[in-house]
C-alpha cells in the first residue's frame, strides 16, 4: 500500500460512503454528473524549465478531462484555481490560460470560474464537471468480471520517456516529449465504451498501466493478467530502453502520466462493437482468483505480480526539476 491509498481509505471510512470514493471521479446517478478535481504543483508535476506556460495550462486541463473520460463521460466545464508567486507576470498567466482554453476547445468544454492566491510556487487546481450521456452507461473500476478481456488505448511508457529526455535535455524523442507536455485525453474512446456496453470497468492510466490494472482488480475482487507480448511498445520507448539498458515493458507498466484508458469488456465485445480494436489493444484477460494484477510471460506462462509501490507515488521523492 501507499500513503495516498491509506489517506483515501481513511477518508472513505470517515465519510461513511466508500463507493463514492472508489474512482478518480464522482458519479452522481441522480443527475448523471461526473465530478473530479486534480492538483498540480510546480516541481512535483511540471517544471517551467522545459514546459511552456501553454504546455502547463494544457496539461492541467487535460489531466482532469482524462478523469471524466475514465468513466465514459463527456467533459463540459472546468474551474481553475491558481497559486502564484509574486514574480509571475501577467503575460505568463495569459499564456497559461491560452493552453487551458486550447485544451477546452479541443474537447468541447468551457472554462467557467476559479480563484487565485499568492503562493511560493505555481499551484494549479482544476475541478472538472462532465456527464454520462443519456443512453450511455458509466464505467467504474468495480465492474470487471472473470472472462472479460483487458483492453487499453495507445502506448504506455511514452510520457515517462519524454520526462527523462526533457530532464536530460536530449535531442529527438519528439513524440515522447509531446506525450509528456501535451497529453491527449481519450474522450472519444471512453464514449465508445459507454455507448455500447452496459457493464465494463474503466479508468485512466494517469499513474501507470500497472496502477490501473491493480486498482481495477482490487475494486472488482478479481485477477487481472496482462500478457507481456500483447503490451504495445512505441518505437521511441524501445529505442530509449535499448540505449539505457532498460526493460521497455517495465517502462510501459510503471512509467505513469500517459493518460490512456484501461478497461475490461465482455468477451463478446467484438459482436457489440466490430470496430473496437481500431481504438483499443487487447492486453490481457480477467480471471477468478486472488485479487490483484499479474504479468504473464510468453512461453513458460510465468505470472509475475505487479506491485503498486513501483507505480507513480504522489508522496514519493518524484520530482520535475
Amino acid at each position: 500500500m501507499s500513503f495516498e491509498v491509506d489517506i483515501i481509505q481513511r477518508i472513505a471510512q470517515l465519510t461513511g460512503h466508500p463507493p463514492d470514493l472508489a474512482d478518480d471521479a464522482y458519479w452522481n446517478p441522480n443527475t448523471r454528473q461526473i465530478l473530479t478535481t486534480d492538483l498540480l504543483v510546480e516541481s512535483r508535476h511540471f517544471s517551467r524549465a522545459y514546459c511552456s506556460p501553454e504546455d502547463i495550462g494544457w496539461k492541467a486541463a487535460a489531466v482532469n478531462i482524462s478523469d471524466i473520460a475514465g468513466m465514459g463521460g463527456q467533459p463540459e466545464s472546468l474551474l481553475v484555481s491558481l497559486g502564484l508567486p509574486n514574480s509571475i507576470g501577467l503575460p505568463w498567466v495569459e499564456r497559461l490560460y491560452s493552453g487551458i482554453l486550447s485544451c477546452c476547445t479541443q474537447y468541447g468544454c468551457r472554462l467557467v470560474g476559479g480563484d487565485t492566491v499568492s503562493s511560493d510556487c505555481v499551484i494549479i487546481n482544476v475541478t472538472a464537471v462532465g456527464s454520462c450521456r443519456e443512453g450511455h452507461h458509466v464505467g467504474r473500476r468495480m465492474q470487471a468480471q472473470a472472462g472479460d478481456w483487458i483492453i487499453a488505448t495507445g502506448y504506455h511508457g511514452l510520457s515517462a520517456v519524454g520526462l527523462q529526455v526533457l530532464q536530460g535535455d536530449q535531442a529527438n524523442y519528439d513524440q515522447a516529449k509531446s506525450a509528456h507536455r501535451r497529453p491527449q485525453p481519450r474522450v472519444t474512446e471512453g464514449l465508445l465504451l459507454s455507448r455500447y456496453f452496459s457493464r465494463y470497468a474503466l479508468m485512466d492510466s494517469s499513474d501507470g498501466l500497472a496502477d490501473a490494472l491493480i486498482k481495477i482488480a482490487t475494486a472488482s475482487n478479481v485477477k487481472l493478467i496482462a500478457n507481456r507480448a500483447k503490451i504495445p511498445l512505441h518505437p521511441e520507448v524501445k529505442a530509449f530502453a535499448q540505449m539505457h539498458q532498460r526493460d521497455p515493458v517495465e517502462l510501459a507498466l510503471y512509467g505513469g502520466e500517459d493518460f490512456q484508458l484501461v478497461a475490461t469488456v465482455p468477451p463478446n465485445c467484438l459482436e457489440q462493437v466490430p470496430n473496437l480494436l481500431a481504438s483499443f489493444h487487447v492486453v490481457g484477460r480477467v480471471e477468478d482468483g486472488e485479487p490483484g494484477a499479474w504479468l504473464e510471460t510468453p512461453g513458460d506462462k510465468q505470472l509475475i505480480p505487479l506491485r503498486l509501490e513501483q507505480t507513480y507515488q504522489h508522496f514519493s521523492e518524484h520530482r520535475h526539476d
Side-chain angles (χ1 to χ4, degrees), residues 196 269-278:
Y196 286 103
C269 55
L270 296 185
E271 297 173 18
Q272 295 176 257
V273 192
N275 66 338
L276 183 71
L277 298 187

Side-chain angles (χ1 to χ4, degrees), residues 185-246:
R186 307 307 289 261
V187 173
T188 300
E189 291 85 347
L191 291 171
L192 179 70
L193 297 181
S194 70
R195 177 182 177 186
Y196 286 103
F197 296 107
S198 58
R199 181 200 59 81
Y200 61 103
L202 181 64
M203 66 177 289
D204 80 344
S205 59
S206 54
D207 294 335
L209 175 58
D211 173 88
L213 295 172
I214 293 166
K215 287 179 178 175
I216 290 173
T218 302
S220 297
N221 201 36
V222 290
K223 184 176 185 177
L224 268 64
I225 301 174
N227 187 315
R228 181 184 175 93
K230 291 184 177 180
I231 296 174
L233 298 172
H234 192 277
E236 291 187 4
V237 174
K238 291 181 180 179
F240 180 88
Q242 184 176 15
M243 178 177 290
H244 296 274
Q245 298 183 322
R246 302 277 299 276

Side-chain angles (χ1 to χ4, degrees), residues 290-304:
E290 179 186 354
W294 280 261
L295 181 68
E296 182 179 59
T297 58
D300 61 7
K301 301 295 184 182
Q302 180 183 1
L303 294 181
I304 301 170

